[in-house]
Amino acid sequence: MQAAALLFAALLAHAPGKLVIKDVAKGSGPAAMTGDLLTVEYTGTLLDGKKFDSSKGGAPFAFELGAGQVIPGWDKGLLGMKAGGKRHLTIPSEMAYGDAGSGPIPPRATLNFELELLRIDKKGATPHVTITTTKRGTGPGAKEGESVVVHYRGTYLNGTQFDSSYDRHQPFAVTIGQGTIKGFGQGLVGIKMGEKRTVVIPSALAYGPGGRGPVPANMALKFELERVAK
């Protein structure tokens, strides 16, 4: 009996684990599908609660769902999520880093992740900027090819700042449609003197799969813009 119990315990220890998905908040809009570009905020912990990685305080993480760019537990565990949704995943080692482990993650470790889906860029969709006017300006709106002077603050979708002309106390002179990322110029079309805008730019109209400087690959960006001079 003792030998049988030991054998059962050994088999149980090596039995494949199960991916456990728990929705904390549902989100809204279209569901994430294979081939979509997802931008997520995450924190990963071991079963004893020890944190091994987190995007908080830095850039979020963007990847193509189902393309093998992340561990299998993410590719399967994020299917069906909606933007704004929050999900808890418990991922067995077979769907994470397996017998080898990785960095601070020991071999055969089951992992917990708290994830928030910040944005979905649907596969095949035409990218476009989203503009929200937060303060109305006066006079004529800026046109394509026109030079304007603006202050800006650039953040990731989780609110972490990566650049700011306000911090340098030096506004930025730009000719709309030239010398900046495409989405930045599009976000300035029609802006009036004194006007403030919040502009969200998809990765395809920002720095794309290559990223640039502190901006990682495939990262959507948010800019607070203020026109301060002609």
Side-chain angles (χ1 to χ4, degrees):
M1 290 293 292
Q2 185 177 8
L6 290 173
L7 177 60
F8 178 76
L11 290 173
L12 185 63
H14 291 87
K18 181 181 179 182
L19 174 66
V20 179
I21 300 172
K22 180 181 179 182
D23 282 313
V24 179
K26 291 291 188 179
S28 60
M33 300 175 64
T34 297
D36 292 345
L37 181 66
L38 308 188
T39 304
V40 300
E41 178 94 305
Y42 70 91
T43 296
T45 59
L46 303 176
L47 290 184
D48 62 4
K50 182 179 180 181
K51 182 170 68 177
F52 61 82
D53 195 13
S54 179
S55 63
K56 293 183 178 180
F61 182 68
F63 69 99
E64 181 183 336
L65 186 62
Q69 298 174 357
V70 292
I71 59 176
W74 273 35
D75 269 339
K76 293 184 178 181
L78 294 179
L79 280 168
M81 280 193 78
K82 298 179 179 181
K86 296 181 180 181
R87 185 170 281 187
H88 177 89
L89 300 181
T90 299
I91 303 177
S93 64
E94 294 86 356
M95 300 179 70
Y97 296 98
D99 292 340
S102 177
I105 300 172
R108 297 180 294 281
T110 296
L111 307 178
N112 285 321
F113 282 96
E114 300 291 341
L115 298 120
E116 179 179 1
L117 182 51
L118 302 176
R119 179 183 176 92
I120 302 176
D121 289 285
K122 300 299 290 182
K123 181 180 180 180
T126 301
H128 66 277
V129 300
T130 302
I131 300 172
T132 303
T133 299
T134 56
K135 178 184 176 183
R136 295 186 181 278
T138 59
K143 299 178 181 179
E144 183 84 17
E146 183 178 348
S147 295
V148 296
V149 180
V150 297
H151 262 308
Y152 68 88
R153 179 175 290 105
T155 66
Y156 304 120
L157 298 186
N158 63 359
T160 300
Q161 179 179 298
F162 64 87
D163 192 17
S164 173
S165 67
Y166 289 104
D167 291 353
R168 293 191 294 273
H169 306 288
Q170 180 63 51
F172 179 55
V174 57
T175 299
I176 297 176
Q178 300 178 20
T180 61
I181 58 176
K182 190 173 182 179
F184 192 93
Q186 291 179 1
L188 289 172
V189 173
I191 195 169
K192 300 178 180 181
M193 280 295 302
E195 184 173 327
K196 293 183 179 181
R197 292 178 169 184
T198 298
V199 178
V200 179
I201 304 174
S203 165
L205 298 177
Y207 295 112
R212 182 176 176 181
V215 179
N218 298 315
M219 193 58 54
L221 304 176
K222 180 184 288 187
F223 284 93
E224 297 172 16
L225 302 173
E226 178 184 7
R227 186 175 178 183
V228 295
K230 293 184 179 180

